[in-house]
Amino acid sequence: MLEGVRVLDISNLIAGPGISTILADFGADVIKVEHPDIGDYIRNWGHRKNGVPLAWKSHGRGKRLLAVNISRPEGQQVIRRIAADVDVMIESFRPGKLESWGLDYKTLAQDNPGLILIRITGWGQTGPYRNRPGFGTLAEALSGFAHITGQPAGPPTLPSFALGDGATSLVGAYSVMMALYHRDVHGGSGQTIDLSLFESMFSLLGPQAIEYDQLGIIQNRVGNRSPRGVPRNAYETKDGRWVAISASASDMAFRLFRAIGRDDMVDDPRYATAASRIENGDTVDGIVADWIRRRPLADVLARLESFDVPVSPVYDIGQIMQDPQYRARQSIVQLPDEDLGSVKMANIVPRFSRTPGTIRHTGRTEMGYDTQSILRSIGMTDGEINALSEKGTIRIASRGPKK
């Protein structure tokens, strides 16, 4: 689908590289730049097997690897030469860093006026917080997400995975595609995209702004319930498993009431409307929770599914790996890997009927895997490449392609 789209990714960690992963999955040629001594920080994140960083296998998939020190003038010249012949450049340095290196958009656009530069920071390129360190965790806090997450009597709760970064990767990917469409279909020029982690998170949190503006409502923590609909919660079964139910629409709530043998609740004015169920949410949840806790998971699912109640077991990753729906859709794919033999990881989303994506290869463990072939492709001689290698400005892998 994106064959012919060229991407230069000089970002680090998750949000920026997440954008280039999505683009690579659908055919873009992605050059991923890493520091020649330490690589992308994601290489040191999470678990390893036999010294191999597992998270990197997924985050680095489908990309060509270039190890170059951008903080050195000769490294900056390498980046500028590559940027002259790509469609998209992704960066995640603090505001002003590219400018200090002579890699600002105005300079790059002199050689490549069609360039799309997406700039990812915690707080954006403008505003009083622009120079603060910015990470997904901080964005999850400042966006209001942590405030509304957790039990009512408990502390604000941060996600145990990179939610803010993942959301920003998705926003970034569709931002790039809109900029490409504007350039290539409408005859526009290149441009910069100012993308912040905190605004990506804030954009997901629903109508809080208008509710506060018009009614003064501040949403607070309600555990697994929803302030906008009842019943919606996670409930524990007799055998210690959990199920999630989302039945806040009236027809779904009524199906649930009938499934648990409480037909009387359908016509009871305390539960007959969405507003009345919210007002009596504690009672509704108590009735549903009591019915579920007296039955094992299998019985709960069989009964509720027979009434077409929206219900799902709460899975851990081990259960996900065994689930027939995941298997039927190949939501987890098994791939050959040069270090580990084969590995499993999440498959590509979404599914296109005519132009499906493909994971060309897992993340290469050796830094600078494609350095030599990339630099040769921009016209550098072996003498120039060897000189940069001797200075430590670049890193050349022992087993990467040479041409």
Side-chain angles (χ1 to χ4, degrees):
M1 180 175 286
L2 297 182
E3 183 178 356
V5 174
R6 296 154 299 175
V7 180
L8 175 61
D9 181 4
I10 64 171
S11 66
N12 217 320
L13 282 172
I14 302 174
I19 297 173
S20 64
T21 296
I22 295 170
L23 300 179
D25 284 344
F26 289 100
D29 176 18
V30 174
I31 297 174
K32 173 69 176 78
V33 174
E34 300 181 85
H35 191 284
D37 297 326
I38 58 177
D40 192 301
Y41 294 139
I42 203 68
R43 289 178 178 272
N44 298 313
W45 186 67
H47 299 286
R48 291 173 174 264
K49 181 180 179 181
N50 301 329
V52 176
L54 299 181
W56 175 252
K57 288 295 180 182
S58 179
H59 286 286
R61 73 193 196 190
K63 306 173 187 180
R64 294 196 286 159
L65 304 185
L66 170 64
V68 57
N69 189 339
I70 306 176
S71 65
R72 296 184 179 183
E74 60 269 25
Q76 294 155 17
Q77 286 304 309
V78 169
I79 296 302
R80 184 168 177 176
R81 288 179 66 172
I82 298 173
D85 195 36
V86 300
D87 299 284
V88 179
M89 180 168 159
I90 305 169
E91 69 100 359
S92 61
F93 297 98
R94 291 198 201 186
K97 180 57 74 173
L98 284 193
E99 287 75 5
S100 72
W101 288 338
L103 297 174
D104 55 280
Y105 187 78
K106 183 178 180 180
T107 299
L108 297 177
Q110 292 174 5
D111 301 322
N112 185 358
L115 178 67
I116 294 159
L117 173 63
I118 181 164
R119 312 191 70 175
I120 301 151
T121 57
W123 317 112
Q125 299 292 320
T126 59
Y129 300 166
R130 66 188 293 268
N131 291 319
R132 290 183 180 180
F135 295 96
T137 297
L138 310 184
E140 290 148 9
L142 194 79
S143 68
F145 171 84
H147 176 77
I148 64 173
T149 305
Q151 296 301 320
T157 301
L158 296 165
S160 58
F161 66 102
L163 176 60
D165 291 270
T168 304
S169 294
L170 293 171
V171 174
Y174 77 66
S175 300
V176 166
M177 297 313 300
M178 286 191 288
L180 287 171
Y181 185 89
H182 170 73
R183 187 195 71 180
D184 297 343
V185 176
H186 293 298
S189 62
Q191 59 182 306
T192 62
I193 302 170
D194 179 359
L195 179 61
S196 70
L197 276 74
F198 89 96
E199 288 169 317
S200 296
M201 276 299 301
F202 182 64
S203 69
L204 300 180
L205 299 185
Q208 288 191 59
I210 191 172
E211 290 175 347
Y212 178 79
D213 174 60
Q214 296 296 307
L215 300 173
I217 294 173
I218 296 177
Q219 183 175 333
N220 292 305
R221 293 182 287 284
V222 291
N224 290 313
R225 289 170 63 173
S226 169
R228 298 179 180 87
V230 174
R232 188 269 198 180
N233 211 329
Y235 305 90
E236 189 173 11
T237 65
K238 183 178 180 180
D239 50 352
R241 294 288 301 278
W242 290 81
V243 294
I245 292 176
S246 181
S248 55
S250 289
D251 59 336
M252 299 176 188
F254 296 159
R255 292 201 295 267
L256 173 61
F257 297 156
R258 293 187 177 103
I260 65 175
R262 291 299 305 269
D263 296 57
D264 59 295
M265 295 177 68
V266 174
D267 298 318
D268 191 317
R270 293 173 296 174
Y271 318 122
T273 67
S276 64
R277 287 194 298 277
I278 292 174
E279 186 177 345
N280 294 280
D282 289 342
T283 302
V284 174
D285 254 346
I287 292 170
V288 174
D290 181 66
W291 185 87
I292 290 175
R293 75 167 56 96
R294 290 185 281 110
R295 291 164 174 82
L297 175 67
D299 291 355
V300 171
L301 293 177
R303 178 68 176 178
L304 297 189
E305 288 173 359
S306 70
F307 279 78
D308 203 23
V309 174
V311 61
S312 172
V314 176
Y315 275 167
D316 61 29
I317 188 61
Q319 292 154 350
I320 286 173
M321 295 294 244
Q322 302 300 319
D323 183 79
Q325 181 68 11
Y326 279 84
R327 289 183 170 183
R329 289 184 55 79
Q330 296 182 318
S331 304
I332 298 167
V333 63
Q334 187 162 357
L335 303 166
D337 181 78
E338 61 187 13
D339 299 302
L340 300 171
S342 68
V343 296
K344 292 181 180 180
M345 64 180 64
N347 207 345
I348 297 170
V349 178
R351 310 291 181 86
F352 290 90
S353 62
R354 295 186 182 274
T355 53
T358 183
I359 302 173
R360 285 170 282 191
H361 57 77
T362 59
R364 310 295 198 189
T365 301
E366 193 171 0
M367 289 187 291
Y369 191 91
D370 301 280
T371 294
Q372 195 165 0
S373 63
I374 291 170
L375 297 186
R376 283 178 172 171
S377 73
I378 62 171
M380 292 187 68
T381 66
D382 288 346
E384 291 174 312
I385 294 171
N386 291 335
L388 290 176
S389 179
E390 290 172 3
K391 288 182 179 180
T393 301
I394 64 171
R395 181 169 179 166
I396 299 173
S398 60
R399 59 180 176 180
K402 307 304 179 186
K403 297 181 180 180

